[in-house]
Amino acid sequence: MSKGLPKRSEDYSLWYNELVKKADLAENSPVRGCMVIKPYGFSIWEKMQAEIDRMFKETGHTNAYFPLFIPKSYLSKEADHVEGFAKECAVVTHYRLKNDENGNGVVVDPEAKLEEELIVRPTSETVIWSTYKNWIQSYRDLPILVNQWANVVRWEMRTRLFLRTAEFLWQEGHTAHATKQEAIDESVQMMNVYAQFAEEFMALPVVKGVKSEAERFAGAIETYCIEALMQDGKALQAGTSHFLGQNFAKAFDVKFATKEGGLEYVWGTSWGVSTRLMGALIMAHSDDQGLVLPPKLAPIQVVIVPIYKGDDQLAQISEKVAEIQSKLRAKGISVKFDSRDTHKPGFKFAEWELKGVPVRLAIGPRDLENNTLEIARRDTGEKQSFDLSEDIALKVESLLEDIQKNIYQKAINFRESHTTEVNSYDEFKEVLEGKGGFVSAHWDGTAETEEKIKEENKATIRCIPLDQKQEEGACIYSGKPSKGRVLFAKAY
Amino acid sequence: MSKGLPKRSEDYSLWYNELVKKADLAENSPVRGCMVIKPYGFSIWEKMQAEIDRMFKETGHTNAYFPLFIPKSYLSKEADHVEGFAKECAVVTHYRLKNDENGNGVVVDPEAKLEEELIVRPTSETVIWSTYKNWIQSYRDLPILVNQWANVVRWEMRTRLFLRTAEFLWQEGHTAHATKQEAIDESVQMMNVYAQFAEEFMALPVVKGVKSEAERFAGAIETYCIEALMQDGKALQAGTSHFLGQNFAKAFDVKFATKEGGLEYVWGTSWGVSTRLMGALIMAHSDDQGLVLPPKLAPIQVVIVPIYKGDDQLAQISEKVAEIQSKLRAKGISVKFDSRDTHKPGFKFAEWELKGVPVRLAIGPRDLENNTLEIARRDTGEKQSFDLSEDIALKVESLLEDIQKNIYQKAINFRESHTTEVNSYDEFKEVLEGKGGFVSAHWDGTAETEEKIKEENKATIRCIPLDQKQEEGACIYSGKPSKGRVLFAKAY
């Protein structure tokens, strides 16, 4: 197949868009800003969901489901929250269409106007805390450790597949606790769960940190986050976990009777990752030939392509392949035999390369004679002949592990070579306009300086790293004193 | 715990509502007609989803995701379809709120009016077929076998938890085929998948059939369905599978190049089951003590309650329980040890009974002495002492199988005793007003008669059973000739 994929070095943004479409991951829908996640893309998301969901359950969380709609007045109850979401939300005003009397097809029925408008949830804190009010009376009802998998809508004006879409899929955890410390611990725990998922499964190294006040979630006291670096030197926020303090408990009057007989507001957290992770996964590892998927999230880990002339050869190869498939499957490896007779091997090689299948096995008539096959790995492109008298399943298993480690290490190396400590504003600008990446610099801690730097460079404070070194210094912009470096970057 | 559950015989409808709430399955939300599915209820739905999803994948389907919103003009492209859904849909007209100048909080921003209104999907045929137009050029692109798990909204005026809610969760399969026969086969296959799931997992016997024209899905040529009977003698439609003919292909101009070089419209199907199945599951088996769950869908299959005085006894019992738990878990049985010290055993017994846990084990100090425990089964209430020198895991495993079979058989017996052949309209009315259930009667095949019977009895044709006996007869209403009996019932 002809891939027609632009090169990353020529137009990274176009490369990304084309890759998402050509690899059958997603496409734009007829509805502005909303995407269609295609079966191949969705199967990757399902693998991500399964692992994340398992990690949530292992940390004591259960799933539930809350309404899609939020009454307008609920959104307004937490002041920062409404400020953050009101400007980009889908508003339901009517509940019926009718046939137009002038023959213009169906139109909104003006008589079916809602008394109170409903907002399609951009996030569910308000509707969930209004529900928690009925669930929580006493300390015995705490903690509540609930997650939901859902779609949400934020009316973004400039959208990009997976990275920024009007509707996206996500999970949102919402927990309620009796003490401040327990809620903070929960927020930190979930940030760690996200970091572990990103590193172990996505092979994506992340920096853990907290957001500056300006970048904080609307309604949170503290936002913990994980930040990853893409191949073009831009950062991507991959997950956030918010310590909400008592903000939503106060907005919805959620109090509990303490063990000691008092009455206190409940402490809360919320945390989420979304289909945005798909964007991160694609951009972190892929190359000019197409997707590179980490074996732990690849829906197809191994593809087998037969090279043959005529039905007899195909039959012989198929018999051999059946053996190999059953050995691989016994190890829990997912394997596809691409025996389509409508396409040539070269086309198939290119297609599976584009789709990021980690390992390709090819078998032709000479292989049959020699009892061999060819193994190719997607990440490095290396090929080798393998003697089938040895254990193919063991070989592939260790190769998949190698690939997982290799792409993770590659991403770490990239991040290391793209994280720069700077000590002056000139240096800061130079790095940002040059190789990009994370720029570690002193900042005076004020929102004014943060805003100026953002305006002048289109770069934001990605986070104050949790492992921030205590180091006295001077703000690169204002020269005022700073107690430690923060990470700046241009970001998605 | 005090259950305060009404008796089925006194007020079936109230019994259902109270059971759903008290067993922590679901509750009404602040948004009219929308429900909150609580963690325990959702964990049952997750088990249902997992099995259904597995069955879909085994029959060659993959998941994908399509937009929540449907442009108004799309809904209108299939005439019957818009007629069926326009009267009860949520309409998004604006994309922003703003602060009111008169200080009335946030209001809809009139300047942020959408050019074209968006409908929150009541079902996704239109947006999916408009997408399929781009996916299908040739017979090589067919079949497309796609499913999505999603939320949908139908603005129902009278709602009931799980059975009829404005928003509900469901799956909707949408397939595209090169031939009419293949599409019909697919519709029938999916009806069979639903029937198998209902009977094997939900322990719910169903009648397979086709809908009369009046009850058909808006836009379908034929609607296949599975119909179940609840304990109050009312029927519940548990799943539908539609043969769409070329209706949506024509509405969205989806043609394909045939193998022979022609150009033809694509054939389609769609099929779905929803959280309504939760309502069916609850109503089919439960009793005046609470839920009765089939072991195959119970999130907790076995609960162990310790009976003790003081920490020493609890410690001794806990040690024994740990052994038992690990034996049960080794067989894949889900087991919970309820060691809460805040509640007495009697309270716990009642709570787990209410929540429908199939098997309860109780261990007290005398059991420790005798190396025994007490086994109680939820479906029959039977209790027995069990000697722990025998294999407890084997015992519980076979008990769970027994319970699954027993509640299924009980439901079959109920249905048999509540399916009545009648040969006159008087008899028909008598049965409907008496014990209810399925009434098997001759019908002349006209929509007029169907409508009259519905008006006069609030009963509808549930289906024309697939195993309909060929039998000449006279319509119970009009006396006109009929070629076979159809099933009437009052229905949810």
Side-chain angles (χ1 to χ4, degrees), chain A residues 46 63 65 89 93 95 167, chain B residues 46 63 65 89 93 95 167:
Chain A
E46 280 184 306
N63 290 326
Y65 189 75
C89 60
T93 55
Y95 58 86
E167 181 193 15
Chain B
E46 280 183 307
N63 290 327
Y65 189 76
C89 60
T93 56
Y95 58 85
E167 182 193 16

Side-chain angles (χ1 to χ4, degrees), chain B residues 73-106:
Chain B
S73 59
Y74 280 62
L75 199 65
S76 316
K77 286 200 179 173
E78 213 286 334
D80 290 336
H81 194 69
V82 66
E83 189 65 28
F85 291 104
K87 285 173 213 137
E88 43 177 41
C89 60
V91 189
V92 177
T93 56
H94 292 74
Y95 58 85
R96 192 166 61 220
L97 300 174
K98 63 163 195 173
N99 288 313
D100 184 30
E101 288 145 14
N102 305 319
N104 294 321
V106 288

Side-chain angles (χ1 to χ4, degrees), chain A residues 421-428 440-442 471 474-476 485:
Chain A
E421 282 198 1
V422 303
N423 294 307
S424 74
Y425 196 45
D426 282 347
E427 226 186 317
F428 178 85
S440 175
H442 280 286
E471 179 193 87
C475 173
I476 50 158
R485 291 169 184 278

Side-chain angles (χ1 to χ4, degrees), chain A residues 307-336:
Chain A
I307 295 158
Y308 64 96
K309 281 188 188 136
D311 289 347
D312 279 2
Q313 276 189 9
L314 179 59
Q316 282 178 293
I317 291 173
S318 299
E319 205 176 312
K320 196 67 172 177
V321 166
E323 266 175 51
I324 296 168
Q325 274 183 303
S326 79
K327 283 180 189 162
L328 295 179
R329 284 183 182 143
K331 288 231 182 238
I333 297 166
S334 64
V335 47
K336 183 184 176 72

Side-chain angles (χ1 to χ4, degrees), chain A residues 31 75 132 220 278 289 363 398 428-429:
Chain A
V31 184
L75 199 64
Y132 282 179
M278 289 287 294
Q289 304 311 309
I363 308 188
S398 90
F428 178 85
K429 283 170 176 281

Side-chain angles (χ1 to χ4, degrees), chain B residues 320-393:
Chain B
K320 195 66 171 177
V321 166
E323 265 175 51
I324 296 167
Q325 275 183 304
S326 80
K327 283 179 189 163
L328 295 179
R329 284 184 181 143
K331 287 230 182 239
I333 297 167
S334 64
V335 49
K336 184 185 176 72
F337 178 36
D338 183 358
S339 59
R340 286 177 293 174
D341 61 3
T342 43
H343 297 89
K344 300 234 157 102
F347 180 97
K348 295 178 184 176
F349 283 17
E351 180 173 343
W352 298 116
E353 207 164 52
L354 180 59
K355 291 196 163 179
V357 175
V359 172
R360 182 186 74 217
L361 308 180
I363 308 188
R366 189 163 306 165
D367 288 310
L368 280 186
E369 276 171 34
N370 302 336
N371 198 33
T372 58
L373 51 66
E374 185 193 71
I375 304 182
R377 55 190 280 181
R378 175 66 184 87
D379 60 335
T380 60
E382 281 170 81
K383 290 181 209 167
Q384 56 175 295
S385 180
F386 181 81
D387 183 342
L388 281 170
S389 62
E390 289 175 50
D391 188 339
I392 181 69

Side-chain angles (χ1 to χ4, degrees), chain A residues 3-23 25-26 160-161 163 229-233 278-293 353-354 378 410 492:
Chain A
K3 288 177 189 166
L5 205 58
K7 287 195 169 134
R8 285 166 295 170
S9 57
E10 285 168 7
D11 191 337
Y12 190 82
S13 177
L14 186 64
W15 166 82
Y16 173 79
N17 290 343
E18 289 296 302
L19 176 54
V20 169
K21 287 177 209 166
K22 287 181 194 286
L25 301 175
R160 292 192 67 191
L161 291 166
L163 296 171
L229 204 58
M230 303 294 104
Q231 291 179 64
D232 61 347
M278 289 287 294
L281 186 72
I282 295 159
M283 285 201 292
H285 309 299
S286 303
D287 61 25
D288 293 348
Q289 304 311 309
L291 269 185
V292 174
L293 289 176
E353 207 165 51
L354 180 60
R378 175 66 184 88
K410 213 171 142 189
Y492 280 96

